[in-house]
Structure formats: C-alpha cells, structure tokens
C-alpha cells in the first residue's frame, strides 16, 4: 500500500501548510520507524475572484535508535486574475542525535526560493544543541541554540553571505485527540546584530477518524532588513485537513 496520500482542499485565501514538526518528533511510533504526512492542496475560484493556487507539501521522520532524520519539502504556485502572484518552495533536511534524555545534537540544511520576495535562491547549513527544558505526559518545552551559514541570491541588490545564530523555543500541549503547539525563532546576523529575523507560529491540530486531522495555524514573520521593496512583516492564517501515516 502506497504511503503517498493526496488530499484536496478549497481555500478562501492563499495559505500555506501547517507542518507540526514538534508534534511529529514526540509521536510514539509503536514499532514503526517511519511517520509523516504528505498532501496536495488545490484552490480554483472563478467569478468575482479569479484565483488558482496549487500547493504540495510533505513532512517525514525516520527513527533509528538514538537518531532521527527529518525531511520536509513544500512548493506553492498561484495566480490571481491570470497574473502569477505566488511561486515559492523549500527543502529542509535535519538530523538529530540523542546524547542524553534531555540533550540532543542537530545538523540541518535548507534550500529555498520565493519569487515574490525577490529571493532567487537561499542555501544554508548549520547545527546546534536541542535542550529539553520541561516535559510530562501532556506538555513539553524545548529550546535550541545553534548557528548556520547562509548564502542568498537576491533580485536587484547585492547577494549577502553571512553566518546567523539560530535560537528557538518550542512548546507542545498534546492530548489524545488534539494538540496545541507554538514555536518562536530568532536568527540574528552574527556579523551585524541589527539584522535579525523573527518567526512565531502557533497552531491547533484536532484529530478525527483515526488518521485525519483538522488544522488551524497562524504565523507571523519579521525581517529587520528584507530585500528592497519587500515589507518587513508578513502574517498568514492557514486552515485545512491532513492525512497522517
């Protein structure tokens, strides 16, 4: 039986996928070593609003003893009134190794692009420590401390290349049929502390019929020095369904 599940959704607005990495990391595999979620989202509207949006996303985790591997990829393409207004994608690879029950090492690599943020290509690689601050049956709080080196290809401006710090806090509240998660990232330029990026994401995932979930997520991002002509703050609200394996 194939583990690739396709599902189709209709949206009123351009949204992006809720991929709950923290919930996935803490999932009890019960004898399995692979878990994840894969989907396709389609939005096609005609009439007062003429819009097409196609989105593909996948999030997978493979566990082998004290090690786990995460693979995440997404792609979004959209048009409004026959004019292209969305074209972005990313691939993220992450390896995590458990040193103790509360301390983990991580290395990661990410490649992404976003045409409408004037980003032709961003490549980064780095690593760090992941620390368990608190955990019980229903709640957990983790922090991360690390760094990465990135190189960007931007339209209409110089192409930056610099190291950045990578700090995060990740909270998860999990019950049998739902979970709530929030993650806060701060990524300062280590060569210029006035250049920083913030990202806060919070979401609710409600499970039904075994493998299906109803998902609602809000994300806000702020880049203190975005490419020329791009706003510093970007916020999005996403809602949808998913199928997990």
């Amino acid at each position: 039986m194939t583990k690739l599940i396709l599902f189709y959704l209709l949206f009123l607005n351009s949204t992006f996928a809720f991929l709950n990495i923290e919930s996935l990391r803490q999932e009890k595999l019960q004898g399995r070593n692979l878990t994840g979620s894969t989907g396709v989202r389609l939005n096609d509207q005609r009439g007062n609003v003429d819009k097409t949006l196609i989105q593909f996303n996948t999030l997978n985790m493979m566990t082998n003893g004290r090690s786990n591997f995460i693979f995440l990829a997404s792609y979004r393409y959209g048009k409004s009134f026959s004019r292209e207004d969305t074209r972005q994608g990313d691939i993220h690879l992450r390896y995590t190794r458990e040193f103790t029950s509360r301390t983990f090492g991580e290395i990661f690599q990410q490649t992404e692009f976003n045409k409408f943020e004037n980003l032709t290509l961003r490549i980064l690689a780095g690593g760090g420590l992941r620390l368990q601050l608190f955990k019980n049956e229903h709640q957990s709080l983790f922090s991360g401390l690390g760094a990465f080196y990135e190189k960007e290809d931007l339209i209409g401006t110089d192409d930056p290349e610099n190291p950045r710090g990578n700090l995060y806090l990740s909270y998860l509240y999990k019950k049998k049929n739902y979970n709530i998660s929030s993650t806060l990232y701060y990524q300062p330029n280590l060569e210029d502390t006035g250049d920083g990026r913030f990202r806060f994401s919070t979401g609710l995932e409600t499970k039904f019929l075994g493998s299906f979930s109803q998902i609602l997520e809000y994300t806000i991002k702020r880049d203190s020095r975005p490419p020329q002509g791009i706003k510093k703050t970007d916020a999005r609200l996403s809602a949808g369904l998913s199928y997990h394996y």
Side-chain angles (χ1 to χ4, degrees):
M1 178 179 178
T2 180
K3 291 187 176 180
L4 177 63
I5 307 298
L6 302 181
F7 58 93
Y8 300 88
L9 302 174
L10 295 177
F11 292 92
L12 295 177
N13 299 297
S14 173
T15 62
F16 61 95
F18 170 65
L19 298 174
N20 192 343
I21 294 177
E22 196 61 54
S23 178
L24 181 75
R25 281 173 140 169
Q26 299 184 46
E27 185 173 336
K28 295 180 181 179
L29 299 183
Q30 298 177 340
R32 298 173 293 151
N33 61 4
L34 175 66
T35 185
S37 174
T38 300
V40 174
R41 299 185 178 193
L42 303 177
N43 175 29
D44 189 57
Q45 296 174 252
R46 294 292 182 269
N48 293 321
V49 176
D50 183 356
K51 184 171 183 63
T52 300
L53 178 68
I54 302 172
Q55 176 175 308
F56 166 82
N57 58 264
T58 184
L59 172 63
N60 302 276
M61 184 181 72
M62 184 174 67
T63 300
N64 182 14
R66 290 177 173 266
S67 299
N68 70 54
F69 304 83
I70 291 176
F71 170 71
L72 182 156
S74 67
Y75 177 77
R76 297 176 68 243
Y77 176 81
K79 287 184 175 181
S80 295
F81 298 100
S82 300
R83 182 177 179 179
E84 183 181 277
D85 62 1
T86 304
R87 185 189 290 271
Q88 66 184 86
D90 62 81
I91 295 175
H92 184 92
L93 303 171
R94 182 175 293 256
Y95 169 74
T96 304
R97 175 72 177 181
E98 180 182 342
F99 297 144
T100 72
S101 61
R102 300 172 63 91
T103 307
F104 309 80
E106 298 184 309
I107 57 174
F108 53 86
Q109 192 280 326
Q110 183 166 308
T111 302
E112 60 184 298
F113 70 91
N114 190 330
K115 179 178 179 181
F116 293 91
E117 290 186 0
N118 292 340
L119 178 64
T120 301
L121 183 66
R122 175 185 289 133
I123 300 176
L124 62 88
L129 289 176
R130 171 178 164 83
L131 306 173
Q132 177 187 304
L133 303 180
F134 172 80
K135 186 176 182 180
N136 62 22
E137 183 180 358
H138 298 300
Q139 298 184 77
S140 65
L141 179 65
F142 283 81
S143 68
L145 175 64
F148 60 86
Y149 194 85
E150 72 172 6
K151 183 176 181 180
E152 296 179 306
D153 184 1
L154 302 174
I155 298 173
T157 188
D158 295 336
D159 297 331
E161 185 174 346
N162 52 258
R164 286 186 178 270
N166 187 50
L167 299 90
Y168 69 83
L169 282 174
S170 185
Y171 171 77
L172 176 68
Y173 180 83
K174 193 168 187 177
K175 297 284 281 188
K176 181 178 180 181
N177 294 321
Y178 72 91
N179 65 66
I180 300 169
S181 65
S182 297
T183 304
L184 174 66
Y185 273 92
Y186 174 51
Q187 297 174 332
N189 184 337
L190 297 180
E191 296 177 333
D192 181 358
T193 56
D195 176 12
R197 297 180 188 147
F198 294 87
R199 178 187 176 101
F200 175 73
S201 179
T202 186
L204 170 66
E205 181 177 14
T206 306
K207 298 179 181 179
F208 64 98
L209 297 179
S211 297
F212 289 90
S213 296
Q214 181 178 348
I215 299 163
L216 180 66
E217 182 189 30
Y218 176 75
T219 297
I220 184 167
K221 301 185 296 182
R222 182 172 177 83
D223 187 344
S224 62
R225 293 184 185 172
Q228 186 176 0
I230 303 301
K231 293 182 178 180
K232 291 184 177 182
T233 302
D234 186 28
R236 292 177 180 176
L237 180 66
S238 173
L241 302 174
S242 69
Y243 184 90
H244 296 271
Y245 47 81

